């Protein structure tokens, strides 16, 4: 075995993608990795996981079969719906999910009850969950109904069930939660269960 022209005398031998590897005088061909990107409009009761012991329908089940394994970029819980990016591009996944990159995710939320101005301010400034304050968020009331309201929330972090937990902590129950945008990517023209 030769790596970059040098004989490998002992194992293990670590290599980089750019290295030239020759085994028994035959060059190892590098397979170009095919990056795949899908935007899925996830319905309720579909899970964002690679396997589910309960046999529930997975987000990956809604996409065409392919040899590359795709992962959900971030998650939406089973009760939530809306857009989720699915890819095998780990670098893009890191840039979209890590809070240090500040990629906004926008949600439409239907609540039971009406938000007070104090609750809106508290939500925008951050709430303590599990001993850590959430990052500042944007919130605006879009519509009011007799017994509730519709709000738009924009977050730059994505803790587990963050919106639901923040609102519940203030005494509000979420009836429906839907992600409508990830950065500049929106759900426009994408039906529930559909992908592009």
């Amino acid at each position: 075995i030769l790596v970059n022209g040098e004989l490998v005398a002992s194992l293990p031998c670590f290599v980089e993608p750019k290295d030239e590897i020759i085994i028994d005088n035959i060059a190892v061909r590098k397979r170009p990795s095919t990056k795949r990107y899908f935007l899925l409009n996830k319905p309720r009761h579909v899970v964002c996981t690679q396997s589910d012991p309960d046999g529930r329908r997975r987000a990956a089940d809604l996409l065409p079969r392919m040899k590359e394994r795709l992962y959900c970029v971030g998650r939406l819980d089973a009760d939530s719906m809306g857009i989720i990016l699915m890819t095998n591009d780990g670098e893009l996944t890191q840039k979209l999910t890590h809070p240090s990159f500040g990629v906004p995710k926008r949600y439409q939320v239907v609540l039971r009850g009406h938000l007070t101005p104090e609750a809106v301010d508290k939500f925008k400034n951050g709430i303590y969950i599990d001993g850590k304050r959430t990052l500042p968020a944007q919130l605006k009331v879009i519509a009011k109904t007799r017994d509730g309201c519709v709000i738009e929330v924009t977050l730059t972090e994505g803790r587990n069930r963050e919106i639901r937990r923040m609102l519940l902590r203030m005494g509000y129950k979420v009836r429906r939660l839907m992600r409508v945008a990830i950065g500049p990517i929106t759900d426009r023209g994408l039906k529930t269960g559909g992908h592009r």
Side-chain angles (χ1 to χ4, degrees), residues 15-100:
V15 296
E16 298 289 328
K18 64 182 179 343
D19 291 338
E20 181 183 282
I21 304 165
I22 298 175
I23 300 175
D24 296 332
N25 295 322
I26 299 171
V28 175
R29 288 187 307 157
K30 297 175 189 169
R31 224 178 356 180
S33 65
T34 302
K35 301 290 187 197
R36 301 277 185 201
Y37 307 91
F38 283 90
L39 184 68
L40 171 69
N41 195 343
K42 185 187 94 60
R44 287 183 71 183
H45 310 300
V46 171
V47 295
C48 294
T49 185
Q50 290 302 315
S51 64
D52 184 55
D54 296 329
R56 294 174 295 182
R57 197 166 190 196
R58 302 169 310 131
D61 297 332
L62 302 176
L63 300 178
R65 289 192 177 265
M66 61 194 67
K67 52 185 178 176
E68 296 86 10
R69 191 169 182 180
L70 301 180
Y71 298 91
C72 295
V73 178
R75 293 183 183 264
L76 284 173
D77 62 59
D79 291 330
S80 299
M81 50 197 295
I83 61 171
I84 190 151
L85 187 66
M86 299 196 60
T87 185
N88 59 348
D89 186 339
E91 187 176 331
L92 176 67
T93 298
Q94 175 71 5
K95 288 182 178 173
L96 290 176
T97 57
H98 198 276
S100 65

Side-chain angles (χ1 to χ4, degrees), residues 145-158:
T145 63
R146 186 172 45 83
D147 63 345
C149 61
V150 179
I151 61 173
E152 184 178 274
V153 174
T154 303
L155 300 177
T156 56
E157 69 178 340

Side-chain angles (χ1 to χ4, degrees), residues 58-188:
R58 302 169 310 131
D61 297 332
L62 302 176
L63 300 178
R65 289 192 177 265
M66 61 194 67
K67 52 185 178 176
E68 296 86 10
R69 191 169 182 180
L70 301 180
Y71 298 91
C72 295
V73 178
R75 293 183 183 264
L76 284 173
D77 62 59
D79 291 330
S80 299
M81 50 197 295
I83 61 171
I84 190 151
L85 187 66
M86 299 196 60
T87 185
N88 59 348
D89 186 339
E91 187 176 331
L92 176 67
T93 298
Q94 175 71 5
K95 288 182 178 173
L96 290 176
T97 57
H98 198 276
S100 65
F101 291 100
V103 176
K105 286 100 180 161
R106 196 172 31 145
Y107 302 81
Q108 229 179 47
V109 185
V110 178
L111 288 182
R112 181 174 291 137
H114 297 109
L115 285 174
T116 64
E118 295 79 27
V120 172
D121 287 342
K122 190 173 183 180
F123 189 95
K124 287 180 177 182
N125 292 322
I127 295 171
Y128 282 93
I129 296 177
D130 299 330
K132 186 178 175 192
R133 185 179 218 126
T134 59
L135 292 178
Q138 296 175 17
L139 182 150
K140 67 179 175 182
V141 177
I142 296 173
K144 290 184 179 183
T145 63
R146 186 172 45 83
D147 63 345
C149 61
V150 179
I151 61 173
E152 184 178 274
V153 174
T154 303
L155 300 177
T156 56
E157 69 178 340
R159 291 202 223 168
N160 184 29
R161 298 175 64 88
E162 182 172 1
I163 294 172
R164 291 179 188 277
R165 292 170 70 198
M166 289 173 74
L167 290 165
L168 189 59
R169 183 124 184 161
M170 296 188 306
Y172 297 96
K173 182 158 176 56
V174 171
R175 288 183 174 166
R176 193 180 96 180
L177 189 145
M178 181 169 59
R179 184 187 294 149
V180 295
I182 302 169
I185 302 168
T186 70
D187 64 349
R188 186 178 304 187

